[in-house]
Amino acid sequence: MPAGGGWAAMFPDEVWEHVFSFLAADGDRNAVSLVCRGWYHIERRSRRRIFVGNCYAIAPTVAVRRFPNVRVVSIKGKPHFADFNLVPSDWGGHADAWVAAMAEGWPLLEELHLKRMVVTDECLELLARSFKNFRVLALSFCEGVSTAGLAAIAANCRNLRELDLQETVVEENCVHWLSHFPESSTSLVNLSIASLEEDVNIAVLEHLVSRCTNLKTLKLNYAVPLDRLVNLLCRAPQLANLGTGRFTAEYRPELFSKLESAFASCKSMKSLSGICEAVPEYLPAIYPICDGLTSLNLCDAPVNGASLTKLVSRCKNLQRLWVMDVIEDDGLAAVASSCKLLQELRVFPCDPYGADPVSLTEHGLVTVSTGCPMLQSVLYFCRQMTNDALFAVARSSPNLTCFRLCIIDPHTPDYVTLEPLDAGFSAIVESCKDLRRLSVSGLLTNNVFRSIGASADCLEMLSIAFAGDSDAGLHYILSGCKSLRKLEIRDCPFGDKALLANAAKLETMRSLWMSSCFVSLGACRLLAQKMPLLNVEVMDEKKRGGSWDSQPDDCLVEKLYVYRTVAGQRSDTPPCVWTV
Amino acid sequence: MSESDMAIIKPEAMKSYIWLQCADGSIQQVEEEVAMFCPMICREILQTAMGSSKNYAISLPQRVNPAILSLVLDYCRFHQVPGRSNKERKSFDEKFIRIDTKRLCELTSAADSLQLKPLVDLTSRALARMIEGKTPEEIRETFHLPDDLTEEEKLEPLKNANDDLRIRLLNRLYAKKRKELKERQKQKDVEVEAQRKDERSVDEILSFINGDGDSRTAKAAKNKKKNRRRKEQPKYSSRTESDKLPKKEVSTVCVVRNEAGIGYSPSPSRISEMQDSAEDAFAPKVDFEDVDIDDGLDPAMKEELDREVEDFARRLNSDWPERMQEILSLSQESRAVPDFMNGNVSLRRYTGLDGR
């Protein structure tokens, strides 16, 4: 049936559907669905992938009904600050309702990607039973499942290609879950179980790896020792992405040479992670694959800086490097001179609360920024910073899309001038026109927020902690930042006025998190009343006794989470959370 | 010579031709190898033996008009030559689709009806490129499409999917009201004074927020608090980041995690301290009704809007079936009714709602 009038009547829906299939970006498909009624229907029937950034923004049944032919779905649950233990553990993000609706409406579903959600074994069992073409299960930062659920997936998903449990907490009660992959199962391409803490049956794993000849990604957990790694690599020399288990053992020359030749036989290796507790003596076994590596994650390898430096200097084609601050400024200097293709750098603190000083300063960041012209994404933990260093980064890396600087102690000023870091961060947002994600830290006044609000036109996600002087700071952000989608704030002197003055802005964003700020319950009530399309959730884990209804307007809200939704109030709030 | 003579002489000519007839009756002839490049024509020739003479011309689908047919045949003529390199073909294609939108659409349509897949893909990609990055408005203009989604349906895409009647109606009322208010506002804003008035109100907020004498005492109180906090653990206590520690120090990891977890939740005594300093900072107690809350709408109009919303929400919260009647009669006043009744969701669904 021809769609709409005018030219669109010129050809049948299938042709427009074919045209739409060349639109990669969700934004374009969204625009298409708003053009006219005909296109709305063509688009919704032909949509194969959807991304739900907030699982409570829409009811599962409604999403399933609107897009009846989805094959791939990604859903996110808890707010990002859940990673820092700021969100109550029982807050929500349950996958049950979603899996139930999908089982009903999307029998041909192929891929499910969940992030920060609570998944149960019942979900996994329902999943395993309901989708005959199911291929990819990716649970990142999730919780609530046990190995019994994994066994159900292994046993029933005949064509499973990917099982990825990145950072997902799994209760381990079924030791032999891996054995549930039937003998006939040879389809695995990705098996990532690094987050499992208990032992796995390594013989079963070896057999599985042998028969899955298309296996490209294998991420082992700590329980797999170095000598068994050798066996696994020998059975899967075609691997492209490897996460080793523990990389430590007493030094034995024959183990070393076996390991080295096992790595040498992996001609396609592109990415390496794991290397838990690496001992310097075994690191050189990795050298054979260094040249081909594009991604290296050394966050579990607190080896001394010199050994790390030797390793990283050999990785000339590295695009992504995650490392601990034990690499120190010298190591980063080596990175800057060797890894000219570097796009993403993350430096994590090895001992954030500790006494041991580590010689990682702002110089390391500046050296990498100056030396690596393709640098786009930075996450950098350090203890000291200067405005000059930030000016240098702004000058050398104008193409940054993500800049997250985490100075470990709050309110740390420029250690040379003792001034706030306003000027430095302002330079970053003014220079990096494509900046999409920013985290600020150190001593900051409202001035930096004035700059961010005015200059950061592409900024989509902003994280603020221990910064600002007053409500004006929040007001600058909410009244500027045209593209802002997610804002998360903790421990800042921001309160009611800025929030209420910019209530309309909140409807254009995915979510706002504010904890330990100065927002009152009265303001939340007003906000909820004025903006029916927002859910305003207040949380207090100490539960002051009595219901929320009786609390006075002027009582301060400890944690506030505001998000837009068309699903109305959710029905699964725990006692410590109240939707105003 | 007569045409029938021509027809007899033809087999002796070097090239053989195929005759094609468009829906408007006009007939064209084209070299056989060119026509055969098109699967639909090829099938017709082989299966029905049509096309060999003018009287037995192959009828083309309706969506192929003579002008577009020429274009299609140009495409076929180029590509059916076997010796061409990929680079040549690509270059030809790029130039070939540089035509106006209307003809591009006609071409896509024709290619689809002739089942000429390479041309369908080429033209579809070109159309997709014309859609990319545009707003719905711009797309409508480009392709001359009707603007037939209702105000309410135009709320962001996922919002369209909400079949909950209550929320749909609330959305529609809200959107309608906002539109009306914005229109009234626009008329007011013509004068320069109106513009300045808006800016001034923002400045008023800022100076009110920043305060004068209050800010210094507030800062002092906050600084005291900050110094105390500096002694405590750093803010980033993520499981992910702190778990990067070696596993053999499992016990310390647990301790660290707990400390970090508790680290910044203030103790009960601290809560009251915080409340005290909060009250200091905002000593002129905020009375929400008096604050000039600026979201671009006149406060008086906003009150009206708020009252409407409250009223509506109240009505919705009471018994459903009676309200349904009331709402239906209410909405008959607005132009939204025809869309509501004949909209993309059938009425049957609404009556079935109580089952959901």
Side-chain angles (χ1 to χ4, degrees):
Chain A
M1 186 147 72
W7 300 350
M10 225 180 268
F11 39 91
D13 292 357
E14 296 80 60
V15 181
W16 280 120
E17 205 177 293
H18 192 56
V19 172
F20 300 159
S21 70
F22 295 111
L23 296 172
D26 271 349
D28 287 329
R29 289 201 75 111
N30 289 350
V32 156
S33 69
L34 286 176
V35 167
C36 64
R37 183 158 293 148
W39 278 28
Y40 170 81
H41 283 293
I42 301 172
E43 196 283 316
R44 73 172 259 267
R45 283 193 301 260
S46 59
R47 177 93 71 131
R48 288 280 187 269
R49 332 182 127 242
I50 65 168
F51 167 72
V52 182
N54 172 5
C55 63
Y56 292 119
I58 183 169
T61 46
V62 170
V64 168
R65 210 173 333 147
R66 173 165 169 186
F67 300 110
N69 294 309
V70 164
R71 301 283 185 268
V72 176
V73 61
S74 295
I75 310 172
K76 290 188 177 181
K78 298 190 192 186
H80 173 239
F81 270 178
D83 290 353
F84 306 109
N85 299 324
L86 287 176
V87 177
S89 54
D90 55 352
W91 174 81
H94 300 285
D96 305 63
W98 279 96
V99 176
M102 294 190 281
E104 218 9 80
W106 290 336
L108 298 177
L109 189 71
E110 293 173 6
E111 300 185 21
L112 180 61
H113 302 252
L114 300 178
K115 187 166 185 181
R116 288 196 198 95
M117 294 194 72
V118 177
V119 189
T120 59
D121 285 343
E122 288 73 38
C123 280
L124 294 188
E125 282 154 19
L126 181 58
L127 219 151
R129 284 200 305 273
S130 313
F131 306 118
K132 59 179 169 59
N133 290 344
F134 200 68
R135 298 186 323 183
V136 172
L137 179 63
L139 303 177
S140 66
F141 295 85
C142 293
E143 60 187 7
V145 290
S146 80
T147 39
L150 299 181
I153 295 285
N156 296 301
C157 298
R158 298 288 165 80
N159 300 310
L160 194 69
R161 303 241 186 111
E162 296 189 27
L163 178 61
D164 188 339
L165 302 175
Q166 184 197 5
E167 302 282 356
T168 288
V169 175
V170 178
E171 195 197 316
E172 294 173 71
N173 48 22
C174 166
V175 173
H176 298 289
W177 71 273
L178 267 182
S179 317
H180 286 253
F181 279 107
E183 274 304 308
S184 54
S185 162
T186 57
S187 52
L188 274 182
V189 170
N190 175 349
L191 180 64
S192 298
I193 54 172
S195 61
L196 294 184
E197 292 181 352
E198 304 292 325
D199 287 340
V200 285
N201 186 327
I202 299 186
V204 169
L205 179 60
E206 283 174 3
H207 190 41
L208 181 62
V209 166
S210 298
R211 65 182 190 271
C212 294
T213 51
N214 291 322
L215 196 68
K216 288 278 178 304
T217 303
L218 179 64
K219 301 210 175 151
L220 305 167
N221 63 341
Y222 184 80
V224 178
L226 210 51
D227 53 334
R228 303 309 284 269
L229 173 65
V230 172
N231 293 350
L232 286 164
L233 284 180
C234 291
R235 284 157 206 261
Q238 78 283 2
L239 281 179
N241 308 298
L242 174 68
T244 71
R246 61 179 180 275
F247 214 76
T248 181
E250 255 186 45
Y251 184 74
R252 290 174 352 239
E254 53 352 309
L255 177 55
F256 179 89
S257 63
K258 273 197 217 156
L259 189 60
E260 193 183 29
S261 46
F263 272 116
S265 67
C266 296
K267 305 280 184 221
S268 315
M269 200 68 83
K270 288 262 164 284
S271 132
L272 183 65
S273 62
I275 323 193
C276 310
E277 288 178 24
V279 286
E281 294 77 30
Y282 279 108
L283 277 183
I286 300 176
Y287 291 175
I289 55 165
C290 284
D291 212 43
L293 282 184
T294 56
S295 167
L296 181 59
N297 180 345
L298 297 168
C299 289
D300 291 310
V303 197
N304 64 75
S307 302
L308 285 182
T309 306
K310 276 199 225 132
L311 178 64
V312 176
S313 313
R314 303 175 102 92
C315 302
K316 306 266 183 265
N317 292 307
L318 213 54
Q319 292 172 16
R320 175 169 30 171
L321 175 64
W322 293 18
V323 74
M324 291 221 258
D325 60 2
V326 288
I327 197 172
E328 299 190 339
D329 287 345
D330 288 343
L332 289 179
V335 169
S337 59
S338 314
C339 311
K340 290 302 183 189
L341 301 177
L342 196 69
Q343 293 174 17
E344 179 181 332
L345 174 71
R346 295 197 190 187
V347 179
F348 292 98
C350 181
D351 191 9
Y353 320 114
D356 287 347
V358 144
S359 180
L360 179 95
T361 68
E362 75 279 10
H363 295 298
L365 177 60
V366 173
T367 329
V368 173
S369 165
T370 333
C372 302
M374 302 181 66
L375 195 65
Q376 280 184 352
S377 171
V378 170
L379 168 60
Y380 199 77
F381 279 83
C382 59
R383 292 178 196 281
Q384 62 184 54
M385 188 51 56
T386 62
N387 281 313
D388 281 343
L390 291 174
F391 294 151
V393 172
R395 263 195 314 273
S396 319
S397 305
N399 296 322
L400 284 179
T401 54
C402 168
F403 186 69
R404 295 154 73 187
L405 180 64
C406 306
I407 305 170
I408 292 178
D409 288 331
H411 310 124
T412 308
D414 176 327
Y415 73 94
V416 170
T417 65
L418 295 183
E419 287 183 358
L421 291 171
D422 296 341
F425 278 106
S426 300
I428 298 275
V429 292
E430 281 155 24
S431 161
C432 304
K433 300 272 179 247
D434 297 323
L435 197 66
R436 289 200 294 270
R437 185 167 178 182
L438 177 66
S439 297
V440 298
S441 57
L443 180 66
L444 295 167
T445 70
N446 284 346
N447 290 330
V448 72
F449 299 119
R450 199 203 312 258
S451 307
I452 296 175
S455 308
D457 287 342
C458 293
L459 194 65
E460 294 175 6
M461 182 167 177
L462 178 60
S463 309
I464 309 172
F466 301 100
D469 312 313
S470 68
D471 260 8
L474 180 58
H475 180 69
Y476 289 134
I477 299 290
L478 290 178
S479 56
C481 293
K482 292 190 244 172
S483 311
L484 195 64
R485 290 204 269 123
K486 289 184 282 181
L487 180 58
E488 45 185 27
I489 303 172
R490 65 165 293 181
D491 294 279
C492 295
F494 299 148
D496 302 342
K497 290 170 209 162
L499 197 60
L500 291 171
N502 294 285
K505 169 80 170 185
L506 296 178
E507 238 183 52
T508 68
M509 292 165 50
R510 186 190 298 172
S511 66
L512 165 69
W513 170 278
M514 288 178 74
S515 57
S516 305
C517 297
F518 295 139
V519 180
S520 71
L521 190 55
C524 295
R525 285 180 170 133
L526 198 63
L527 182 64
Q529 192 192 351
K530 275 167 64 76
M531 311 293 299
L533 285 175
L534 294 179
N535 272 359
V536 178
E537 292 188 6
V538 301
M539 302 171 222
D540 184 3
E541 285 162 287
K542 277 164 242 48
K543 283 202 307 280
R544 299 156 201 240
S547 77
W548 283 97
D549 278 328
S550 60
Q551 297 291 339
D553 274 353
D554 62 355
C555 94
L556 282 184
V557 162
E558 175 59 25
K559 299 181 185 187
L560 170 68
Y561 187 50
V562 180
Y563 55 90
R564 69 177 170 197
T565 178
V566 292
Q569 286 199 17
R570 59 180 172 118
S571 52
D572 60 357
T573 46
C576 63
V577 176
W578 183 47
T579 309
V580 179
Chain B
M1 269 187 203
S2 70
E3 281 180 332
S4 46
D5 290 340
M6 289 272 279
I8 295 164
I9 287 170
K10 199 155 274 7
E12 295 165 37
M14 289 288 285
K15 275 195 167 171
S16 58
Y17 285 79
I18 298 293
W19 297 84
L20 304 171
Q21 179 170 37
C22 293
D24 68 348
S26 62
I27 298 180
Q28 280 190 43
Q29 63 174 10
V30 69
E31 304 92 304
E32 184 179 359
E33 63 271 17
V34 173
M36 292 287 274
F37 192 72
C38 177
M40 196 223 103
I41 296 177
C42 185
R43 219 181 4 257
E44 279 289 305
I45 294 172
L46 295 177
Q47 287 177 0
T48 67
M50 293 282 274
S52 52
S53 73
K54 197 169 165 203
N55 293 335
Y56 295 98
I58 293 173
S59 294
L60 295 178
Q62 193 201 11
R63 287 186 269 143
V64 185
N65 64 54
I68 287 299
L69 179 60
S70 302
L71 266 185
V72 175
L73 295 175
D74 286 343
Y75 179 87
C76 295
R77 189 169 294 116
F78 182 88
H79 280 286
Q80 59 85 24
V81 175
R84 304 204 193 272
S85 71
N86 282 337
K87 196 166 164 210
E88 282 180 316
R89 292 184 192 272
K90 199 157 174 238
S91 173
F92 173 86
D93 285 347
E94 275 164 26
K95 288 199 206 92
F96 186 70
I97 44 150
R98 271 191 231 143
I99 51 181
D100 61 86
T101 314
K102 184 160 191 276
R103 288 215 301 167
L104 185 56
C105 285
E106 288 179 340
L107 187 58
T108 314
S109 182
D112 172 68
S113 63
L114 292 171
Q115 296 158 19
L116 191 51
K117 191 163 189 330
L119 186 56
V120 173
D121 279 350
L122 176 65
T123 48
S124 299
R125 279 178 199 274
L127 288 173
R129 279 197 301 273
M130 292 174 72
I131 292 173
E132 270 165 13
K134 288 201 165 90
T135 65
E137 253 305 307
E138 289 164 348
I139 298 173
R140 243 177 267 135
E141 261 183 56
T142 308
F143 294 104
H144 292 177
L145 291 163
D147 186 2
D148 60 0
L149 285 167
T150 64
E151 245 335 289
E152 175 261 343
E153 283 165 326
K154 274 182 199 166
L155 294 177
E156 286 195 10
L158 279 182
K159 288 183 186 177
N160 288 342
N162 190 357
D163 283 345
D164 183 340
L165 177 59
R166 274 169 281 188
I167 297 185
R168 274 171 78 93
L169 291 175
L170 188 58
N171 285 349
R172 184 175 305 115
L173 180 68
Y174 209 73
K176 187 182 99 174
K177 274 290 155 187
R178 290 212 123 177
K179 199 173 164 211
E180 281 171 25
L181 292 172
K182 280 245 150 78
E183 254 142 42
R184 272 184 258 165
Q185 188 76 27
K186 257 188 239 159
Q187 284 161 19
K188 272 195 177 180
D189 278 351
V190 171
E191 295 138 16
V192 177
E193 278 91 76
Q195 297 281 48
R196 258 195 272 122
K197 180 192 173 203
D198 284 342
E199 283 173 21
R200 267 198 306 237
S201 58
V202 172
D203 285 346
E204 270 167 24
I205 295 179
L206 288 181
S207 58
F208 180 57
I209 289 169
N210 282 331
D212 296 307
D214 287 331
S215 59
R216 254 194 290 135
T217 48
K219 226 180 177 169
K222 277 182 246 164
N223 280 338
K224 257 205 285 192
K225 214 157 42 69
K226 285 172 193 174
N227 284 333
R228 232 175 295 142
R229 281 203 179 161
R230 206 174 284 170
K231 298 286 183 288
E232 296 180 33
Q233 298 87 352
K235 56 174 170 158
Y236 288 93
S237 55
S238 87
R239 182 188 77 207
T240 55
E241 267 93 71
S242 62
D243 271 0
K244 304 302 174 209
L245 295 172
K247 284 280 195 300
K248 64 178 178 231
E249 295 173 284
V250 163
S251 52
T252 44
V253 168
C254 286
V255 168
V256 151
R257 205 184 303 180
N258 287 337
E259 278 173 22
I262 296 170
Y264 285 118
S265 323
S267 61
S269 57
R270 200 151 285 156
I271 291 177
S272 52
E273 277 167 20
M274 232 173 72
Q275 279 182 319
D276 288 341
S277 55
E279 274 159 73
D280 284 343
F282 301 104
K285 194 113 181 173
V286 176
D287 191 358
F288 294 110
E289 286 78 67
D290 290 345
V291 169
D292 182 12
I293 296 164
D294 178 30
D295 68 349
L297 296 176
D298 208 316
M301 292 180 185
K302 233 181 301 137
E303 268 174 40
E304 200 188 287
L305 178 62
D306 289 347
R307 247 184 291 119
E308 287 245 16
V309 169
E310 262 175 53
D311 194 42
F312 196 85
R314 200 185 8 93
R315 275 210 307 269
L316 287 178
N317 284 334
S318 44
D319 272 350
W320 184 230
E322 303 138 72
R323 293 310 143 214
M324 176 92 152
Q325 293 306 314
E326 203 178 316
I327 286 157
L328 283 177
S329 57
L330 219 202
S331 59
Q332 258 149 34
E333 292 159 19
S334 74
R335 68 171 173 86
V337 162
D339 299 313
F340 168 61
M341 298 299 274
N342 307 325
N344 54 342
V345 179
S346 69
L347 193 57
R348 188 170 25 97
R349 259 178 161 176
Y350 291 125
T351 52
L353 254 180
D354 37 29
R356 296 217 169 123

